[in-house]
Amino acid sequence: MQDNATEVTAAGIARLAGVGRAAVSNWRRRHADFPKPVGGTETSPSFALAEVEAWLRKQGKLAEVPLRERVWQQLAGHPEGPLTALVHAGCVLLLIHERPPVWLDASAGSDARLAAVLPGALDEVLTPITSTPAGPAPARSTATTPTPAGPAPARSTAITPTPAAPAPATPLRTPTGPQLLPSAPLLRGVAELAAGIGARQAFEFLLGRHLDANPRQYTLTPAELAGLMADLAGPARTALDPACGTGALLRAVDPRPGQRLYAQDSAPELAALSALRLALHNRATVRAVAGDTLRADAHPGLRADVVLCHPPFNERNWGHDELAYDPRWEYGFPARTESELAWVQHALARLKDGGTAVLLMPPAAASRRSGRRIRADLLRRGALRAVVALPVGAAPPYNIPLHLWVLRRPDRVPATPEVLLVDTGRFAGEGRGGPDWEAVRETVTDAWRAFTRAGRLAERPGLARSVPVIELLDDDVDLAPARRLPPAVADGAEQLTRVRERLGETLRLTADLTPPPADPAPPARWPLTTVGELARGGALVMRTGGNGGHARVPVLTDHDVLAGTAPSGTLPESEEEAVLTEPGDVVVPVLGGGAVARVIDEATGGAALGRNLVLLRPDRTALDPWFLAGFLRGTANNRQASSYASTATRLDVRRLHLPRLPLDEQRRYGARFRALEEFERALRQASRLGEQLVRGMYDGLTDGTVAPG
């Protein structure tokens, strides 16, 4: 009965059945027994998940709902909202992770018994502390007791409120029985999921799906960037993130025995999710707090080894008027427009002498005139050690090249202080693929280690150098690396000559590949079938892109398919089995309205299938891949299979048409389609080489490495 309380939208039904939303709309119109809406709005109704599952099975449209999808739909349609459901799920996963026998005993009965017994069991792993920590060590021990199955390492997960501050209530309290009762089916599903992939991976999967489903609600720190920041900070026994978000930065810190992780966020739900995520990730003592960090610091006595922070940018209401005499402003009182410099000084105030802080900063913070006095004092006193310019696309907002500031709380001022400046802008990726993180990480960490060993760094043109502080203390105190680094040597005449030669070869190839004049023919009247019919008949297998996978698998994105480029994306790290491509597969983007289909070749085979892509794997004895891809690209074919929203177009791949032709005739068409694809690829290559030649000529002429005549 409780399962009926879980609701699912039309988009969720489409995901369950592996179809487009247009198909769900058709089912509602054509089938009188389709479940009636139980909530939502007239334009966006919601349905009871259990009723939908039963109807799909009855219609033969769904053999069995995959466990991951069923659990996700239960969470997304929870009557108290997905965040409440995610917290309930996280609490139970922590119990399963630390005391599996306790969970087995609590769950061995009805939903009512589970809801009644569970709060007492959760109290053992969720230790609410009503006092605020005053320093690096808590005032009282909160070590957990051993489970019946054997001793467990000591660890506490303390979630405390911020005292005497305009802060929310305690972000995570043990749920009561009545609160847990509607979640009982979800919690049993979560436990089943954890039995297959582990409690930690189950939580990461559900959290990742929630974040993906609500991209505008959260500002995330990509895992690659979090790892780089943790590398720059170094090992830590105590680490703090005063704007923790979903806990990505503290999760990147290398675990150590006796480690303590401190977190604070103004959003109670994020503080709660961070606490659960970190508690599941390692055996450290976790202390997460909900509250406004600048106005109501929850850790005033803390002196941490490391502070990692991705603060909110461009905040005007950060507490300027209330905090004028705050002791944290050792380097100057920040202007109202300099909230980021308030976060910098907060981080320094929470470090022990010699401790390291790494903050993600907007580039304007390095050069705004309103912050020049604070920047100057940070330099004079040796607190600011490095500024790293990241490539465009490293983190949101993705259209701005953000900076990393590396700071150390001075224990002594260097005799001849220098500051490391690094610019990794050249490693920006194309489109939405993101930067070349391997190159960014190698460049930054190598320069930082060399700089910390010697106190200075020899020039690396266009990449890095150490700059004497006195050189930076001018009227502007501009710390932007690009303005202080020697320019990289341009491609030069020799390199441009090679680009020109390659362009000439590509243009000649393009001319050779130009299709011959089209032979006129009367309109064809073929018998037609659809991709959906072919899938039901076994002529092809249809798969959709995943929402997680193993971190090291290259991912083919929808942008890669549209641009004809190599796999460039990433998926959230999880134990979910990624859909891997094979040579001969046909991949189709479902968003954007373009008539595009790509046949996977040997070079791309093995990549994971990204989001918003559908993979078609034809039976070679019945379907030629190039014939399939060519007909799927027809403009009229795509138009009739697309549905339109106010801001997007979505393709229902199952509705795409193909003619019924013998295999030999398919191959004749396939050979022509393949030749067209080679011509298209040559045109793209010529365009890229032409742009490279033009940009190189402009750069060479303007920096003097190419003569004008």
Side-chain angles (χ1 to χ4, degrees):
M1 181 68 183
Q2 288 296 332
D3 211 16
N4 284 330
T6 300
E7 299 176 11
V8 62
T9 64
I13 298 173
R15 288 184 62 88
L16 284 170
V19 300
R21 291 185 62 177
V24 178
S25 298
N26 287 337
W27 294 342
R28 292 185 63 196
R29 288 194 299 269
R30 291 166 49 197
H31 297 278
D33 62 340
F34 191 87
K36 302 302 180 186
V38 296
T41 64
E42 185 175 345
T43 56
S44 181
S46 58
F47 306 83
L49 176 60
E51 294 178 7
V52 169
E53 290 178 0
W55 187 87
L56 289 172
R57 288 195 189 94
K58 178 182 174 183
Q59 295 293 322
K61 302 181 186 297
L62 187 67
E64 181 60 48
V65 180
L67 176 61
R68 291 171 181 267
E69 194 61 39
R70 174 161 56 85
V71 173
W72 164 246
Q73 294 297 345
Q74 287 174 329
L75 187 147
H78 193 279
E80 297 301 321
L83 282 172
T84 297
L86 191 55
V87 170
H88 288 181
C91 291
V92 165
L93 287 170
L94 186 59
L95 177 64
I96 293 170
H97 182 63
E98 299 212 344
R99 291 175 168 76
V102 176
W103 162 257
L104 291 175
D105 177 69
S107 60
S110 65
D111 287 355
R113 179 182 181 275
L114 174 65
V117 172
L118 202 52
L122 292 178
D123 270 335
E124 299 178 9
V125 292
L126 303 174
T127 310
I129 305 297
T130 56
S131 60
T132 302
R140 72 184 199 191
S141 172
T142 56
T144 59
T145 56
T147 67
R155 190 263 302 285
S156 68
T157 304
I159 314 298
T160 60
T162 301
T170 302
L172 183 62
R173 292 192 177 98
T174 302
T176 65
Q179 290 171 332
L180 287 169
L181 186 57
S183 300
L186 166 67
L187 301 181
R188 295 185 188 277
V190 164
E192 186 180 351
L193 185 60
I197 64 175
R200 180 187 306 163
Q201 290 79 7
F203 186 74
E204 289 294 322
F205 164 72
L206 294 172
L207 176 62
R209 285 287 291 269
H210 174 69
L211 297 176
D212 288 343
N214 302 276
R216 296 185 180 180
Q217 294 184 23
Y218 306 100
T219 301
L220 304 180
T221 308
E224 299 88 350
L225 177 57
L228 173 60
M229 293 173 69
D231 281 353
L232 291 172
R237 288 288 299 275
T238 57
L240 166 69
D241 184 350
C244 63
T246 58
L249 291 177
L250 291 177
R251 186 173 180 267
V253 175
D254 285 338
R256 302 185 57 173
Q259 192 174 62
R260 297 181 182 276
L261 302 178
Y262 296 84
Q264 184 168 352
D265 199 278
S266 59
E269 67 274 9
L270 293 183
L273 293 177
S274 288
L276 292 166
R277 190 182 195 189
L278 295 171
L280 283 162
H281 181 64
N282 62 30
R283 310 302 295 181
T285 295
V286 178
R287 193 180 295 276
V289 181
D292 185 322
T293 296
L294 294 182
R295 287 189 174 92
D297 179 18
H299 309 293
L302 179 64
R303 295 297 177 264
D305 299 314
V306 161
V307 175
L308 299 173
C309 186
H310 178 174
F313 296 160
N314 302 318
E315 276 198 335
R316 296 301 178 94
N317 185 28
W318 57 268
H320 177 271
D321 294 339
E322 305 100 297
L323 302 173
Y325 302 102
D326 195 289
R328 288 172 291 182
W329 316 142
E330 293 182 54
Y331 302 88
F333 180 41
R336 190 183 302 275
T337 57
E338 294 288 351
S339 62
E340 297 85 7
L341 293 182
W343 285 97
V344 164
Q345 294 190 76
H346 173 82
L348 285 167
R350 294 297 156 263
L351 286 173
K352 70 177 186 181
D353 289 347
T356 302
V358 183
L359 283 85
L360 185 65
M361 301 284 281
S367 56
R368 280 190 298 242
R369 290 189 62 80
S370 55
R372 66 189 187 278
R373 291 185 180 178
I374 294 177
R375 293 196 299 271
D377 209 31
L378 290 169
L379 292 171
R380 288 191 194 98
R381 296 172 59 180
L384 182 61
R385 305 301 295 131
V387 177
V388 177
L390 297 169
V392 171
Y398 289 108
N399 61 330
I400 296 175
L402 302 174
H403 288 179
L404 292 178
W405 285 23
V406 184
L407 305 109
R408 280 190 176 157
R409 184 167 181 83
D411 48 0
R412 59 184 179 83
V413 178
T416 55
E418 297 196 4
V419 174
L420 176 66
L421 300 181
V422 183
D423 188 350
T424 62
R426 67 171 63 177
F427 302 122
E430 294 184 4
R432 290 176 290 172
D436 181 348
W437 278 111
E438 184 176 351
V440 171
R441 194 164 186 163
E442 181 180 351
T443 299
V444 174
T445 56
D446 181 62
W448 173 244
R449 288 168 187 158
F451 173 71
T452 53
R453 282 194 304 267
R456 63 183 309 277
L457 183 74
E459 260 183 27
R460 300 180 182 182
L463 281 178
R465 68 176 285 218
S466 61
V467 182
V469 165
I470 192 67
E471 186 178 320
L472 297 169
L473 292 175
D474 54 19
D475 288 343
D476 294 324
V477 197
D478 192 336
L479 306 179
R483 294 175 187 150
R484 302 286 181 173
L485 293 177
V489 177
D491 289 336
E494 184 178 343
Q495 176 67 17
L496 291 176
T497 298
R498 288 197 290 268
V499 173
R500 188 176 185 279
E501 290 171 354
R502 289 177 59 202
L503 176 60
E505 293 170 2
T506 305
L507 289 173
R508 287 190 289 274
L509 175 63
T510 304
D512 293 340
L513 293 173
T514 302
D519 295 330
R525 292 289 185 265
W526 297 302
L528 297 177
T529 185
T530 65
V531 169
E533 289 175 355
L534 291 171
R536 287 191 292 273
L540 59 81
V541 174
M542 187 172 177
R543 302 289 300 277
T544 56
N547 291 280
H550 302 291
R552 297 188 180 276
V553 178
V555 177
L556 185 71
T557 68
D558 54 347
H559 175 78
D560 299 330
V561 175
L562 293 168
T565 53
S568 65
T570 58
L571 288 173
E573 183 177 354
S574 76
E575 293 302 312
E576 182 175 354
E577 196 66 33
V579 178
L580 301 183
T581 60
E582 296 178 3
D585 290 343
V586 177
V587 176
V588 184
V590 297
L591 295 180
V596 177
R598 177 171 173 177
V599 179
I600 300 299
D601 56 17
E602 293 289 342
T604 307
L609 192 69
R611 302 181 189 89
N612 302 320
L613 291 175
V614 171
L615 179 146
L616 306 175
R617 183 165 293 159
D619 178 352
R620 301 294 188 87
T621 64
L623 273 176
D624 178 77
W626 289 98
F627 163 81
L628 173 63
F631 273 95
L632 296 188
R633 291 191 62 172
T635 302
N637 197 5
N638 273 258
R639 188 177 295 130
Q640 65 82 28
S642 296
S643 58
Y644 303 93
S646 58
T647 59
T649 302
R650 186 174 185 89
L651 181 68
D652 184 352
V653 177
R654 291 174 179 267
R655 291 172 52 189
L656 289 168
H657 290 151
L658 280 94
R660 296 181 182 272
L661 295 178
L663 190 57
D664 288 344
E665 187 71 1
Q666 290 182 33
R667 289 171 177 158
R668 194 164 72 90
Y669 273 96
R672 188 66 182 271
F673 287 137
R674 187 168 192 165
L676 281 174
E677 197 273 341
E678 291 176 359
F679 175 61
E680 183 179 39
R681 189 184 307 166
L683 286 174
R684 284 195 179 116
Q685 177 69 359
S687 175
R688 284 193 286 265
L689 289 170
E691 290 177 3
Q692 184 179 347
L693 179 61
V694 170
R695 173 48 52 198
M697 288 295 296
Y698 271 111
D699 290 345
L701 287 167
T702 54
D703 66 21
T705 58
V706 174

